[in-house]
Structures are given as C-alpha cells and as structure tokens.
Amino acid sequence: FDVKFYTRDTYPHSGQLSTVKCGILESVGMVAFGTRQTFINQGVYRPGMEGEKSLSGSWLSTPWNEVEVGMAVMAGIPILLVKDDAISDGIFDDVISESYIYSISAKTEMKELEHNQKFAEWLSRIRD
C-alpha cells in the first residue's frame, strides 16, 4: 500500500479541505484514528434539547475526523476507525452502523490484526 499520512503539520495554510479531498479521491481505503483531543471537565451535551446529558471527565476526538471521514463516505471508500476506548463522539459513536465502516479498539495488538474479523473485512473491501 502507498500510505498517505495526515497530521496537523501536514495541512497547508490554505486549501486544507481541497488537500484532504484530493488525497481521499486517490485512495481505496481510509484509516481514521479517534484519539483524545479535548477534555471536558464539566459540561452539558445538547443543552435544552432532546438527548441532553451532563458530561464530566469526558474526552472528545478532533472535529477534523468528522470532515475527513465524511469526505471518505462521500467517496464511497471503506473506512477503518481505530479509536481510543474513551472516545465515543461523532463518527466514533458505537451506534454508527454502515456496511463500509469498521471500528476497532486502539488497544488491539498489531500481531492480532490478522485474526481480527473487522480488520479482515475492511482489508478485503480495499482489495476488491
């Protein structure tokens, strides 16, 4: 595989979305990492709306995950989400269920990947 890495340092000072879009359109699959980016000591999710809940000691991923994975969804490529077990917001919410989105824990040992069913399914999709 020819891997394209995107980190905060990778993004140019202008044309950030176009750069991501071009990389995704040249790709046959995506791996998105849901890591701890923002810590909520005390807060309220969806204040005054249905589903309101208190947050205490909660972690959120970067909002860039939503943009990047959303573009990959539009491109129709298989997506592997590798998430920290403390992350459950947005695309990393466990209720997300799509036939081309697979999720594994960041604690998964590399040597166990070949026996991981979700990884194997994602890999078979990008090999088609």
Side-chain angles (χ1 to χ4, degrees):
F1 296 109
D2 180 19
V3 178
K4 297 178 187 291
F5 291 96
Y6 286 101
T7 64
R8 185 177 359 178
D9 300 334
T10 305
Y11 287 100
H13 293 290
S14 64
Q16 299 88 349
L17 297 177
S18 295
T19 299
V20 172
K21 178 183 171 186
C22 287
I24 289 171
L25 291 175
E26 296 171 354
S27 300
V28 296
M30 170 187 266
V31 178
F33 294 90
T35 59
R36 299 174 186 200
Q37 296 289 313
T38 302
F39 182 73
I40 307 291
N41 192 30
Q42 289 286 81
V44 178
Y45 174 73
R46 301 186 75 158
M49 297 190 294
E50 185 177 333
E52 176 180 327
K53 68 178 181 179
S54 295
L55 299 175
S56 178
S58 302
W59 285 98
L60 303 177
S61 61
T62 174
W64 279 99
N65 286 133
E66 305 303 320
V67 173
E68 296 160 346
V69 172
M71 287 183 179
V73 167
M74 293 299 295
I77 62 175
I79 301 160
L80 179 66
L81 304 174
V82 181
K83 68 176 209 137
D84 183 297
D85 293 340
I87 299 297
S88 62
D89 62 303
I91 193 63
F92 300 103
D93 191 320
D94 291 330
V95 301
I96 300 295
S97 174
E98 296 290 337
S99 63
Y100 49 87
I101 298 178
Y102 305 89
S103 181
I104 63 175
S105 170
K107 291 182 180 178
T108 303
E109 293 286 334
M110 292 295 287
K111 60 186 172 193
E112 295 174 8
L113 275 180
E114 67 182 305
H115 304 293
N116 184 294
Q117 181 181 351
K118 291 183 181 187
F119 178 77
E121 289 174 17
W122 172 79
L123 193 58
S124 72
R125 283 286 190 100
I126 63 173
R127 288 184 173 164
D128 290 342

